[in-house]
Amino acid sequence: VGVFPSWREPFGMVFVECMACGCPTIGARSGGPTEFVTPAQGILVEEEEEWRTEAGAKRLGARLALTVEQALAEDWKNKKGPDCVKFVQENFSTQAQCQGMLDDMKRWS
C-alpha cells in the first residue's frame, strides 16, 4: 500500500499515481483525497492536530501502523488493487479528462 499522511493535502496526485499502479492507499482524512479515496481504493485516517509534537506524531504513527497491518492482513494489493486501476482509468486518464471537458463544453453552450 501507499501511505501518505499529508497534513491538509490540497489534492493528492500521489494517491492517483499510486492507484494507477494498482496500489491501494492510506492517507489523512483532509483536503482533496476526501473527494476520491473510497473504501474500494484504500482508507483515510483522522488527521492528528498535534502531529508536530512527539506525542502527536506517535498517535498518528500508531493509527497508520494499525491501518497498514489491516491492509496487509486483508491483502489489499490483490483485493483492492484492480479496482484502483479501473478507478483511475475511469476518472483520471487522459481520455476521461478530455471527455469530461467535452461534456462540460456541451453543457455550457
Side-chain angles (χ1 to χ4, degrees):
V1 295
V3 181
F4 313 105
S6 301
W7 175 256
R8 313 278 179 188
E9 180 65 54
F11 176 72
M13 189 63 178
V14 69
F15 286 84
V16 175
E17 293 165 343
C18 194
M19 289 188 285
C21 295
C23 189
T25 59
I26 298 170
R29 186 174 289 124
S30 74
T34 62
E35 296 181 27
F36 63 86
V37 176
T38 69
Q41 294 94 31
I43 195 166
L44 299 174
V45 299
E46 290 302 321
E47 282 191 316
E48 175 57 54
E49 291 288 330
E50 298 177 12
W51 66 272
R52 291 178 183 93
T53 68
E54 181 179 351
K58 285 181 179 181
R59 284 191 298 272
L60 177 59
R63 282 199 301 272
L64 291 170
L66 285 174
T67 308
V68 169
E69 288 174 7
Q70 175 187 353
L72 294 173
E74 295 174 3
D75 192 21
W76 285 10
K77 177 68 173 164
N78 290 310
K79 293 182 178 170
K80 295 181 184 228
D83 288 335
C84 290
V85 173
K86 182 179 178 195
F87 174 78
V88 171
Q89 289 171 337
E90 292 174 353
N91 295 281
F92 294 100
S93 67
T94 302
Q95 182 176 354
Q97 296 295 310
C98 290
Q99 187 61 55
M101 287 190 305
L102 289 172
D103 293 345
D104 287 342
M105 291 159 89
K106 285 179 185 175
R107 235 184 20 254
W108 298 336
S109 52

